[in-house]
Amino acid sequence: MESVIIKDKRFEVNIPAAKIDQRVKELGAKLNEDLKNTRPIFVSVLNGSFMFAADLFREIKMEAEITFIRVSSYSGTESTGTVKSVVGIKENLEGRTVVIIEDIVDTGDTAIYLIDELKKQNPEKVLFASLLLKPDALRHPIKIDYVGFEVPNDFLVGYGLDYDGLGRNLKDIYKLA
Ligand code: 5GP
Ligand code: MG
């Protein structure tokens, strides 16, 4: 098994680049079919989804826009724990078909937060596309409309996903060995 060392850890290939490419094309084809007659706006969640978003967006045939957001988490001043906020949305989403693009859905906390936030702008529809989904970690009853691969609860890097800021440039997806 091909492996890489990132900092103190060894990772081995879990999903090879060719398989990712093929799956991204399938998801693109599905979106082209489902969203025909709409002019969707894709919302890529930085940093992790940048590579998936670029590849998926290239498959989109209809007139479409893409924009980029970031979810910043910080500790609240009260005892409420982590507070999230969305930064970067300048577009008016009212009446639009919105497709959120994420790298991975783990607990689903981020996904549910993002869907709720974007719905505040009264879009026609909010769809969610995630390259990866960890079904066993999910703790919200949410439906991810487009999933590339369901994966077990392993820590993954590559194709946009990082370990401590590194490994995003790997073409394959690796898991902790
Ligand atoms: P959630 O809010 O669903 O628990 O977590 C979503 C975020 O956690 C992802 O967008 C990603 O940043 C991070 N994350 C979850 N699992 C992994 C993983 O296996 N590898 C990496 N690199 N990040 C992960
Ligand atoms: Mg992410």
Side-chain angles (χ1 to χ4, degrees):
M1 184 75 70
E2 201 193 318
S3 71
V4 291
I5 305 279
I6 304 175
K7 298 182 103 172
D8 54 332
K9 294 189 167 35
R10 196 166 63 82
F11 294 86
E12 56 193 32
V13 173
N14 188 231
I15 310 175
K19 221 176 138 185
I20 300 171
D21 288 351
Q22 190 206 333
R23 187 68 187 127
V24 171
K25 287 192 168 71
E26 288 170 7
L27 292 176
K30 184 86 172 60
L31 282 159
N32 285 325
E33 179 60 28
D34 293 353
L35 303 186
K36 63 177 179 233
N37 309 321
T38 73
R39 189 164 59 80
I41 179 162
F42 289 80
V43 177
S44 160
V45 185
L46 296 172
N47 295 329
S49 82
F50 79 100
M51 208 171 277
F52 173 46
D55 288 345
L56 184 63
F57 195 60
R58 259 183 285 223
E59 298 300 324
I60 299 305
K61 310 291 184 214
M62 83 277 290
E63 219 172 71
E65 292 166 60
I66 188 165
T67 190
F68 299 87
I69 61 169
R70 203 177 269 280
V71 181
S72 48
S73 304
Y74 52 95
S75 294
T77 49
E78 322 241 317
S79 57
T80 49
T82 312
V83 178
K84 288 187 200 292
S85 74
V86 174
V87 286
I89 278 275
K90 286 176 225 76
E91 293 77 4
N92 179 6
L93 303 181
E94 186 160 356
R96 303 295 305 274
T97 295
V98 176
V99 185
I100 299 171
I101 307 182
E102 259 286 30
D103 49 354
I104 186 162
V105 174
D106 187 19
T107 63
D109 286 357
T110 310
I112 213 156
Y113 172 77
L114 280 169
I115 293 167
D116 284 352
E117 280 302 298
L118 299 192
K119 278 190 172 164
K120 287 179 184 167
Q121 284 207 38
N122 292 320
E124 163 79 25
K125 198 185 244 186
V126 177
L127 296 166
F128 202 103
S130 184
L131 178 68
L132 303 164
L133 170 67
K134 292 181 177 172
D136 298 336
L138 204 58
R139 58 180 187 209
H140 300 278
I142 43 168
K143 180 171 140 273
I144 306 300
D145 304 282
Y146 303 91
V147 175
F149 302 94
E150 291 194 352
V151 293
N153 279 344
D154 296 311
F155 185 77
L156 304 171
V157 297
Y159 193 68
L161 291 112
D162 73 307
Y163 167 47
D164 219 1
L166 300 175
R168 295 191 196 274
N169 49 329
L170 295 166
K171 290 182 180 176
D172 309 286
I173 292 174
Y174 291 71
K175 71 170 183 182
L176 195 56

